[in-house]
Amino acid sequence: MTTTDKPEQAAEVGDDGTRRQFISWVTLGLMTTASVASLRPSPTMAIYGLAAIFLYLLPAIVFLLPTALVGAELASGWTGGIYRWVSEALGKPLGFVAVWCQFAMTIAYYPSLLAYVASTFAYVIHPSLAENGLYVAIVIVVIYWTGVWVSSRGTKTVAGLSSFGLIVGTLVPGVVLVALGIVFLGQGNPSAAPMTADHWLPPWTGLASLVLIVNNFLSYAGMEMNGVHVSSLRDPRGEYPKSIFLATGLVLLIFILPALAISWVMPAKELSLTAGLMQAFQAFFDHFHVGWMTKVVGVMLVCAALGGMLTWLSGPAKGLVLLSRQEGYLPPFLQKFNKYGVPQNVMVAQGVLTTLIGVLYAFSDSVSSQYWMFSVITIQIYLVAYLLMFVAVVVLRRTRPDVPRGFVVPAVTIVAGVGFVASVLALVIGFVPPDQYDTGPLWRYLLVVGGGLLLLGIAAPAAFLKFRKPSWIHPDHRDPAGPVDPAA
């Protein structure tokens, strides 16, 4: 999940003398690709070998496309993001739940992201550390709090790190990985995973054998964010679908090809969810007698991941605080900004929870299983926001048909319905432990995953809504006519 720079736009003067800015559908497609594509989930799907193609395509059809189309209609009709969309359709309390989930998912997301950073960096200093829980826990805590300090200083250079990360940490390593894999096979080396036609579909040994597909829902999250630019297209109805199909094709290539390359050189049983990418690079580089390149790629991937983390660190928190100042959803203490305009108190509170989660890695026998559980919590919390978004678009089509929309989803009930059902299934499947990794006793897995979803995604926003007070509204936003009803 990354952000993009402001697109280059072409200006035209309309008949009324106003100046409009346009972007091409190709530009929007590339922007959307940059906001979604990443190499981090590749090891998860590499475990399935050739079947990774099917497991990427299925969620792309039932989740990626619906979120992109629905997001475009909502963004072209209402400004303000998911809070405005859900509030207009379902009321402000559920609007707060949606925006809260977008923030709360980062509490579980950062530990899993930094576990990947720790395992990747281990290949720069000592590969055996990649599965060392204590080392991973230390890296998570140190890097997260360093990131909070950097972000709290309002560093302007943080904004440009995402573009750097896309090129240095995604495109270049991805192309190198796939090229090495093709040469590897071209030399006559056997693939570690079968590449025959009878392996197009994943082996079915029960629902637990397919659980890792849930990770793709997190991989595709964020596709709807660029829907805000749909009004910058000359012909939104004709060009937006083309930009989405272009982005979908590119995203699939960036996800699928590296996953296949990893499966060619790394047996599934030896693959780590956090260090799988570096395992593949090391195997390829050792094979071609350039093992020193492993450290170089490791540094590139770490820099990209850290750039993405810093870019995201204060964004969701700042949006939540700004909204809470207007509506009084958070206590005044959590609404404060420091002198750099950064919501430092919320970030510190978030950091305490992130630290507690990170410390759990020190007591885990398997970094991969711990990484998976917190990835699932992240996905499930985020899916709550998507469920509300899919309902909102259908409700608004019926209750607010008069609102002009730059893009209208064809057969919106079917499209949103497919996305809603797919999200529900992904949420439910996440409660099933995967066959590929030992996550410990079932009760512990359900306690961690279910407890994370219940506490962060449901109980926390419900508590803020229940105990919300009119005095929590920031003085700059209070209505002089009288207090606001907290139940409104």
Side-chain angles (χ1 to χ4, degrees):
M1 293 184 291
T2 58
T3 57
T4 57
D5 291 333
K6 185 176 180 178
E8 183 178 349
Q9 297 177 321
E12 289 185 1
V13 179
D15 295 336
D16 58 356
T18 58
R19 188 178 180 86
R20 290 194 61 191
Q21 299 289 331
F22 292 101
I23 60 174
S24 71
W25 64 270
V26 174
T27 299
L28 182 55
L30 294 176
M31 288 170 55
T32 305
T33 302
S35 69
V36 176
S38 169
L39 294 179
R40 193 164 69 93
S42 299
T44 306
M45 288 298 104
I47 290 174
Y48 293 105
L50 192 62
I53 298 176
F54 169 80
L55 295 176
Y56 271 122
L57 283 174
L58 181 61
I61 294 171
V62 301
F63 180 75
L64 179 66
L65 289 176
T67 56
L69 295 173
V70 166
E73 173 167 333
L74 292 172
S76 65
W78 291 268
T79 58
I82 196 167
Y83 174 76
R84 174 82 183 279
W85 306 339
V86 176
S87 295
E88 293 279 350
L90 306 173
K92 287 185 177 181
L94 287 179
F96 170 69
V97 171
V99 79
W100 167 267
C101 286
Q102 284 193 329
F103 162 77
M105 72 93 181
T106 63
I107 296 173
Y109 171 71
Y110 289 129
S112 60
L113 171 66
L114 294 177
Y116 159 79
V117 169
S119 295
T120 299
F121 189 67
Y123 279 77
V124 178
I125 52 178
H126 202 294
S128 63
L129 291 172
E131 285 291 328
N132 185 298
L134 179 60
Y135 158 77
V136 172
I138 292 173
V139 171
I140 290 174
V141 174
V142 171
I143 292 183
Y144 179 83
W145 285 107
T146 301
V148 169
W149 180 81
V150 172
S151 297
S152 68
R153 305 289 295 176
T155 307
K156 295 180 180 180
T157 55
V158 168
L161 290 175
S162 61
S163 298
F164 170 82
L166 173 67
I167 297 173
V168 174
T170 300
L171 297 182
V172 173
V175 170
V176 170
L177 182 65
V178 174
L180 290 173
I182 292 173
V183 174
F184 177 80
L185 294 182
Q187 292 179 336
N189 297 294
S191 170
M195 290 289 130
T196 55
D198 56 339
H199 287 85
W200 276 102
L201 295 176
W204 176 260
T205 58
L207 192 58
S209 63
L210 298 181
V211 168
L212 297 185
I213 192 177
V214 173
N215 190 64
N216 290 341
F217 285 76
L218 178 60
S219 301
Y220 291 146
M223 191 75 166
E224 79 287 354
M225 291 181 181
N226 284 296
V228 69
H229 297 297
V230 71
S231 58
S232 296
L233 295 172
R234 287 183 175 83
D235 176 21
R237 297 194 182 199
E239 293 182 337
Y240 185 72
K242 289 193 288 187
S243 75
I244 288 303
F245 284 117
L246 171 63
T248 300
L250 293 175
V251 166
L252 287 173
L253 286 176
I254 293 173
F255 279 144
I256 290 173
L257 294 181
L260 290 178
I262 293 173
S263 73
W264 294 337
V265 72
M266 286 301 304
K269 292 183 179 180
E270 300 176 14
L271 201 57
S272 164
L273 290 185
T274 55
L277 198 57
M278 292 306 299
Q279 287 177 320
F281 273 117
Q282 183 175 57
F284 280 134
F285 287 142
D286 288 347
H287 174 79
F288 291 108
H289 309 292
V290 286
W292 58 271
M293 283 291 294
T294 303
K295 297 182 185 296
V296 176
V297 171
V299 171
M300 293 168 64
L301 294 172
V302 166
C303 288
L306 292 179
M309 185 198 81
L310 288 173
T311 305
W312 269 75
L313 196 55
S314 63
K318 188 171 185 178
L320 179 66
V321 170
L322 287 173
L323 174 63
S324 296
R325 284 187 160 208
Q326 297 172 16
E327 303 292 343
Y329 290 125
L330 297 180
F333 173 75
L334 294 178
Q335 296 181 19
K336 293 181 179 179
F337 289 97
N338 66 11
K339 63 181 180 180
Y340 298 104
V342 176
Q344 188 169 318
N345 289 357
V346 164
M347 290 171 61
V348 169
Q350 177 186 19
V352 171
L353 295 175
T354 299
T355 299
L356 292 175
I357 294 173
V359 169
L360 292 177
Y361 278 89
F363 301 97
S364 174
D365 296 329
S366 171
V367 171
S368 289
S369 62
Q370 199 81 1
Y371 169 88
W372 173 250
M373 283 191 281
F374 291 115
S375 293
V376 170
I377 294 172
T378 304
I379 297 163
Q380 291 183 321
I381 294 173
Y382 212 171
L383 285 174
V384 173
Y386 279 110
L387 290 171
L388 293 171
M389 186 182 80
F390 287 127
V391 174
V393 73
V394 176
V395 172
L396 289 173
R397 181 71 72 85
R398 294 175 180 172
T399 60
R400 305 289 297 279
D402 55 314
V403 174
R405 295 157 169 83
F407 175 79
V408 178
V409 179
V412 67
T413 302
I414 295 176
V415 172
V418 169
F420 185 91
V421 171
S423 299
V424 170
L425 291 176
L427 196 151
V428 172
I429 293 173
F431 287 104
V432 180
D435 273 346
Q436 292 83 354
Y437 291 94
D438 181 14
T439 53
L442 178 60
W443 67 266
R444 188 174 69 186
Y445 180 84
L446 293 177
L447 180 64
V448 173
V449 174
L453 172 62
L454 181 63
L455 291 175
L456 294 177
I458 299 174
F464 283 123
L465 288 171
K466 179 176 177 58
F467 297 105
R468 175 186 173 204
K469 300 177 181 177
S471 60
W472 288 5
I473 297 176
H474 194 272
D476 293 343
H477 299 282
R478 286 179 187 163
D479 184 351
V484 176
D485 180 4

